[in-house]
Amino acid sequence: MNSALYIGATGMKALSTGMQVVSNNIANSSTIGYKQQDILFSDLISTTQAGMGDWWDAQDDSKVALGQLGHGVQVDTIRTIFTQGGLQSSNTLTDLALNGKGYFQVVDQTTGNAYYTRAGDFITDNEGYLRNPQGYSVSGYRYDAQGNLSGTVEPIQISAFDVLTAQASSNIQWQFNLGSAEDKSVSDDNPYFALQQSYRADVNPPISATGTGYEMPITLYDANGNAVEVTAYFDRAPSDANEIIMEFVLASSTVAEQMADAVEEANRADPDNPQTLPEGAGLLMSGTLHFNSDGTLKSMSAFTPTEAGNKDLTTWTPAALVNGVPQFSINGQSVGVNFGITSGGWENAPTSAAEVGTDKRLLPGMGDNAVVSTKATTAYAGNSYLTYSDQDGYPEGRLSAYDITTEGDIIGTYSNGEERKLWEIPVCRFTAEDNLYREGNNLFSATAECGQMEMGRAGTENYGTIHAYNIELSNVDLTTEMVNMIITQRGFQSNSKAVTTADAMLQKAMEIKRS
């Protein structure tokens, strides 16, 4: 009788723990990032009953039954079910949900303790630090100005006053179709520099619209982030049936204005020695583009002045090449212009542009070393138009917005239109996540039994992806928990009935003894 009372009591105790697990799951059915718990039971040790079992045909090794009596039940384990919870959209960018394996790392900066969570309801504080509701900072890797990740985990800080310093333009990439078939600017002595010779800084426009086949402006930036306007002018040059030649000029109205201001200031300072604006003020580069008869680019030439504002072709020399791209200078800043063709160096380059005259064979070329890209300028018959234009400079900008990608990159957008990667939010995973310790507040801590913790890039290998404007819901299935609650309640009730029945039997036995 006493054993029956004890066994019933163990059942009530175990199932009361089971009801605690079920009720905790139900209570957290709306807790973001919560992972359901499951309880498993095991039986207690059993004792062998004397006199039970029999021997077959009186043989010592032929026992056919073993009688054992159990002594109840115990909680075997309470484990966490790490299945994916559903994602719910929100209106907050820094609400982050993980889809797949892994955890966010948050750190208590006061104690230095690291915790792990699936609840990504993060906010930025008044200093720009990304934190969870308990004030713990979210860990991440910082991108430097060159776009390289640091190797040290830091608290993520996104400053609303972050400034992107200006970057001077160092390269222009252009792709045109130059369809002009008419030679509008003509020079009997220098037909391949007719545009350069017709340029006049003291008139507006410096090259007449009737003297050019096509023109296109672009805005560059100096080291201080100031805009510098540059215009490319194109015109047909003398060609034969096997080749199409287009001459071009690059000129800057901004540089011309700066030189005009300098002349005006000098005249104010010394009116007795008046100066005039050079006709070539603002000229940057002059050259030719050489096409096959089918309009595909095959070579080019380029010259730059050795004296600013001087149109004399004897002062124009072959442009310097950097990685096969011809360079010109604006206020001391070297800028490369890439029409889609590069080479290692000029072939048959003259000392100056004045040596070319009317003989196109004296123009420097790129020969067999020329490398033509898929974005090369063409000379197909028809209209002239711009296909692609880009330059790498920009003015100073301030952070105006940011976004978070599924790979965990925080990308800032600045007032100058530039974008930069600021941070990467890593995803943490463990060898044995079942051994994570629940700390409350939707946090886990690592134990020695978790094994190695690894940080990786979201969306790679076995790391989950990060979704902004989302939170992960609890993975509790209320229907399953309600069924478990009924089963647990019925089991507890039955065990309590066993206890009361065994007690009644024990009372009857006591009455028999007293009587």
Side-chain angles (χ1 to χ4, degrees):
M1 300 300 178
N2 289 332
S3 294
L5 285 170
Y6 174 76
I7 291 170
T10 63
M12 293 174 67
K13 180 180 179 182
L15 289 169
S16 66
T17 303
M19 183 60 73
Q20 183 178 348
V21 171
V22 171
S23 61
N24 189 58
N25 285 339
I26 293 174
N28 286 283
S29 60
S30 296
T31 300
I32 65 171
Y34 177 79
K35 296 304 174 186
Q36 171 192 3
Q37 289 185 295
D38 185 26
I39 187 168
L40 299 177
F41 304 100
S42 62
D43 62 339
L44 290 173
I45 188 171
S46 299
T47 56
T48 301
Q49 300 300 302
M52 293 188 67
D54 201 358
W55 302 100
W56 176 74
D57 199 22
Q59 297 182 31
D60 292 342
D61 59 351
S62 61
K63 195 155 189 174
V64 296
L66 177 64
Q68 287 184 297
L69 183 62
H71 283 273
V73 65
Q74 65 182 347
V75 175
D76 185 46
T77 183
I78 300 174
R79 60 186 182 180
T80 299
I81 308 301
F82 291 97
T83 56
Q84 177 70 42
L87 302 188
Q88 179 176 296
S89 62
S90 76
N91 295 321
T92 303
L93 169 63
T94 53
D95 279 346
L96 305 180
L98 279 167
N99 187 15
K101 289 185 175 296
Y103 302 85
F104 300 108
Q105 185 187 73
V106 294
V107 176
D108 182 350
Q109 294 300 319
T110 303
T111 63
N113 294 332
Y115 301 96
Y116 304 90
T117 184
R118 297 278 298 194
D121 52 334
F122 304 132
I123 56 173
T124 52
D125 64 11
N126 58 356
E127 295 181 340
Y129 286 101
L130 192 62
R131 300 186 183 277
N132 74 345
Q134 287 71 47
Y136 300 161
S137 59
V138 182
S139 297
Y141 294 104
R142 185 192 299 270
Y143 281 100
D144 63 19
Q146 289 71 43
N148 301 314
L149 277 177
S150 67
T152 305
V153 177
E154 305 174 50
I156 293 176
Q157 183 182 27
I158 307 169
S159 173
F161 306 104
D162 188 41
V163 174
L164 182 64
T165 57
Q167 176 174 295
S169 301
S170 62
N171 187 56
I172 304 172
Q173 287 188 311
W174 262 325
Q175 182 184 9
F176 297 99
N177 181 65
L178 303 174
S180 176
E182 181 182 357
D183 189 353
K184 295 184 176 182
S185 286
V186 179
S187 172
D188 294 334
D189 297 328
N190 297 286
Y192 300 103
F193 297 93
L195 279 174
Q196 188 261 18
Q197 292 292 288
S198 64
Y199 178 91
R200 287 187 57 184
D202 56 344
V203 298
N204 188 21
I207 298 178
S208 170
T210 60
T212 180
Y214 184 68
E215 61 183 74
M216 177 57 60
I218 191 171
T219 301
L220 307 182
Y221 297 91
D222 64 18
N224 296 319
N226 300 314
V228 179
E229 301 300 326
V230 172
T231 302
Y233 301 90
F234 300 92
D235 191 30
R236 187 69 174 251
S239 311
D240 56 36
N242 299 320
E243 186 178 37
I244 300 172
I245 301 179
M246 294 284 182
E247 62 171 310
F248 70 90
V249 161
L250 302 183
S252 171
S253 58
T254 305
V255 173
E257 290 170 2
Q258 291 171 349
M259 294 183 70
D261 291 341
V263 168
E264 185 178 345
E265 184 176 348
N267 289 339
R268 284 197 302 266
D270 189 3
D272 296 331
N273 296 296
Q275 300 180 21
T276 59
L277 180 68
E279 279 193 357
L283 278 174
L284 305 173
M285 180 182 283
S286 182
T288 54
L289 298 173
H290 299 250
F291 303 86
N292 295 307
S293 59
D294 62 359
T296 56
L297 187 62
K298 66 176 182 177
S299 187
M300 71 174 294
S301 68
F303 293 83
T304 54
T306 56
E307 300 175 13
N310 194 337
K311 288 174 56 177
D312 186 351
L313 292 178
T314 61
T315 66
W316 284 64
T317 58
L321 295 174
V322 176
N323 296 324
V325 176
Q327 309 286 308
F328 62 85
S329 179
I330 294 182
N331 299 334
Q333 173 68 32
S334 181
V335 181
V337 56
N338 188 344
F339 291 106
I341 187 168
T342 61
S343 76
W346 299 121
E347 291 189 356
N348 305 317
T351 304
S352 70
E355 297 179 19
V356 176
T358 60
D359 191 351
K360 68 176 184 178
R361 294 173 300 177
L362 298 178
L363 288 166
M366 296 182 168
D368 296 335
N369 294 323
V371 177
V372 181
S373 76
T374 56
K375 289 185 176 181
T377 294
T378 56
Y380 301 141
N383 296 326
S384 297
Y385 52 84
L386 175 69
T387 303
Y388 177 79
S389 177
D390 189 31
Q391 61 83 36
D392 57 0
Y394 47 81
E396 181 181 276
R398 294 185 177 274
L399 185 65
S400 56
Y402 62 91
D403 198 6
I404 302 174
T405 69
T406 54
E407 292 78 25
D409 287 331
I410 301 177
I411 300 178
T413 301
Y414 292 81
S415 57
N416 56 9
E418 293 294 312
E419 290 186 349
R420 287 292 180 274
K421 290 181 179 180
L422 305 176
W423 294 88
E424 179 191 280
I425 304 173
V427 177
C428 305
R429 65 182 184 184
F430 297 86
T431 304
E433 65 180 353
D434 293 305
N435 293 314
L436 287 170
Y437 184 79
R438 290 177 181 263
E439 295 282 355
N441 295 318
N442 295 329
L443 301 175
F444 295 93
S445 61
T447 63
E449 291 76 18
C450 290
Q452 183 179 358
M453 186 277 287
E454 293 182 346
M455 279 187 173
R457 183 170 175 81
T460 62
E461 299 176 350
N462 290 323
Y463 297 101
T465 52
I466 295 175
H467 298 266
Y469 294 104
N470 280 273
I471 53 174
E472 183 184 2
L473 301 176
S474 169
N475 67 349
V476 172
D477 182 352
L478 275 177
T479 301
T480 301
E481 295 304 322
M482 293 300 290
V483 171
N484 289 339
M485 182 172 64
I486 293 171
I487 293 172
T488 304
Q489 186 268 337
R490 291 292 176 84
F492 186 91
Q493 185 179 31
S494 298
N495 275 275
S496 66
K497 187 65 175 177
V499 171
T500 56
T501 301
D503 180 63
M505 293 172 67
L506 185 60
Q507 290 296 329
K508 178 58 69 176
M510 295 292 291
E511 290 176 4
I512 293 173
K513 179 182 178 183
R514 284 195 294 270
S515 62

